[in-house]
Amino acid sequence: MMRQLLALVMLTLALASPGMAQEEIVADLSQRQVPITADFDGSELILYGAVKRETPISVTEPLSVIITVAGPSNPVTVRRKEKVAGIWINTDAVEIDSAPSFYAISTSRPLNQILSETEDLRYKISIPRAIRSVGAPQAVTDAHEFTNALMRIKAANGTYQARPNTVAFFDQTLFKTAITLPANLTEGTYKVTLYLTRDRHVVTSYSTNLAVEKVGLERFLYRLAHDQPLVYGLLSLFIAIVAGWGASAIFRYFTG
């Protein structure tokens, strides 16, 4: 009897717990693979989905949607140039521990209105939080400026995108957005994450993967260059010799 009573109390506490998700995300992508070919000039990724509910829609505390697309993360060295004796040279340098090669964030409302600083720190959703920079040389007193410079450079070439108010959210149930993928994508597995927030707190999330990879002849040459560099070098030399001999033969034919 005591064991049954204890189980009932635990079930009641679980149901009353604020961490229990009363909404779930059902979503999909317009494509699961982005093929990179010689003439690849970018693509458009469409994300769409719906909110699956176990309770009625809350009118007083409406939901908001955040969607992020993150490319593979790698260390990045950011250098500062200064003019010394009339010449621009590299001076200070900071190695950022991990930065995504591509990062796009789309929201149904401005991010600061739907996500608290605490939740952003926990889930690392905003662009500054997605970049991990732990330490810097003691001689560099403004290390945060190097991170800001990296974000400016990435934003300028389209690989970092902050896109507020670009998620269409219909009747607190259906949502859709489109994200532009630039031509300078890095090959790898991209993580797509969708968050539902209420009262600036994350209610639930959903993640899936997107494959960005070279295909066809481009993939063969890329793999050959990385896996068998000697064979790739010899093949390149052979092609160059044949091309040179062919051009010379054609020139002699028309001039001889």
Side-chain angles (χ1 to χ4, degrees), residues 201-222:
H201 288 79
V202 174
V203 175
T204 188
S205 63
Y206 168 84
S207 296
T208 188
N209 292 332
L210 172 71
V212 176
E213 55 187 5
K214 295 180 175 67
V215 296
L217 180 61
E218 291 78 12
R219 181 175 180 81
F220 170 75
L221 294 176
Y222 177 83

Side-chain angles (χ1 to χ4, degrees), residues 81-205:
K81 288 183 178 291
E82 291 184 357
K83 199 171 186 179
V84 179
I87 302 174
W88 287 97
I89 62 172
N90 293 326
T91 54
D92 299 326
V94 170
E95 181 171 318
I96 296 173
D97 301 84
S98 180
S101 58
F102 175 84
Y103 198 84
I105 175 170
S106 298
T107 60
S108 58
R109 294 164 55 197
L111 186 62
N112 61 348
Q113 297 180 12
I114 61 177
L115 187 72
S116 68
E117 287 290 337
T118 303
E119 291 290 88
D120 190 16
L121 180 63
R122 178 183 178 186
Y123 291 95
K124 296 176 174 56
I125 296 175
S126 65
I127 293 178
R129 294 298 185 189
I131 299 173
R132 183 174 178 268
S133 183
V134 177
Q138 294 183 353
V140 179
T141 58
D142 57 347
H144 65 280
E145 289 297 333
F146 288 78
T147 303
N148 293 338
L150 175 65
M151 290 190 293
R152 288 196 300 270
I153 295 170
K154 292 282 192 178
N157 64 23
T159 51
Y160 280 8
Q161 304 174 16
R163 309 171 67 251
N165 303 314
T166 56
V167 178
F169 198 16
F170 307 100
D171 297 327
Q172 290 285 292
T173 301
L174 303 176
F175 58 85
K176 177 183 177 182
T177 192
I179 295 177
T180 300
L181 303 176
N184 54 343
L185 287 179
T186 300
E187 187 179 21
T189 300
Y190 286 53
K191 185 178 181 180
V192 181
T193 308
L194 301 90
Y195 302 90
L196 291 182
T197 67
R198 174 181 284 118
D199 194 24
R200 304 184 72 202
H201 288 79
V202 174
V203 175
T204 188
S205 63

Side-chain angles (χ1 to χ4, degrees), residues 239-255:
I239 294 175
I241 293 173
V242 171
W245 176 84
S248 177
I250 294 173
F251 179 77
R252 288 198 304 269
Y253 176 80
F254 283 102
T255 59

Side-chain angles (χ1 to χ4, degrees), residues 20-31:
M20 181 179 180
Q22 296 181 346
E23 292 95 356
E24 294 181 0
I25 299 173
V26 181
D28 203 357
L29 311 178
S30 59
Q31 53 185 327

